Amino acid sequence: MNILDMIKNILFIVVLILLNSCGSGLRVSQSQLKPIENDFTKSFSNHSFKTSKSTVSSKTSPKLLELFGIPESEAELVSVLFRNDSLELGYTDKSVLKTVSFPVKQKSKGYLEILSVTKKIQIPPFLPFLYSNVDFNRLRIGITNNDELIIDHKWEKSGSVFIFMGGGGGRTQYFFSPLNDN
């Protein structure tokens, strides 16, 4: 085997490695989910008991309300209500009952989706080699057969100017346990 063949083989292996991507962690199959129907209501713990990244303790776990942009709440439970393409979260914070509402899309697979694309600038369109700026945030909400709430959070913040690129992104699934009162 000569040097040229070795270089071709190494390049082939490098290209194969670069074209493969990692999975998103824990996957929940369609058979483990039940569809969220209109007039769905249930209460859940505000702390996730596990994520697709790791198992977490209840003191350091991400909070359900934080995923919806409410970072400083001391609430222990969150009531989730879905009705007429609207998701309403109810919680008690410092003895005051608060509610927050979000427009959602119900997908054919039975989960709800909240999509927020605040910026997506690409020059020229479809092949942004001069300039691009992307700010993407998506929440998918599902219910397991055990009545656990799953929130799949995917985000991306990136940009480029000519050949210089930067940014980050990620995807994590959070699991919240139901309360027995519903």
Side-chain angles (χ1 to χ4, degrees), residues 2 13 17 19 42 49 61 63-64 82 84-85 87 100-101 104 112-113 116 120 125-126 137 143 149-150 162 165 176:
N2 64 20
I13 291 171
I17 291 171
L19 291 178
K42 193 156 196 66
F49 66 91
S61 66
K63 293 182 179 180
L64 175 63
F82 170 65
N84 301 332
D85 295 331
L87 183 72
V100 180
S101 185
V104 295
L112 306 177
E113 183 174 86
S116 168
K120 189 170 184 178
F126 308 113
N137 190 15
I143 300 292
L149 180 71
I150 300 175
F162 193 50
M165 297 179 195
F176 299 90

Side-chain angles (χ1 to χ4, degrees), residues 36-53:
I36 298 177
E37 302 292 334
N38 205 15
D39 291 330
F40 169 84
T41 183
K42 193 156 196 66
S43 294
F44 298 92
S45 171
N46 193 24
H47 298 277
S48 68
F49 66 91
K50 74 178 175 180
T51 70
S52 60
K53 304 290 184 191

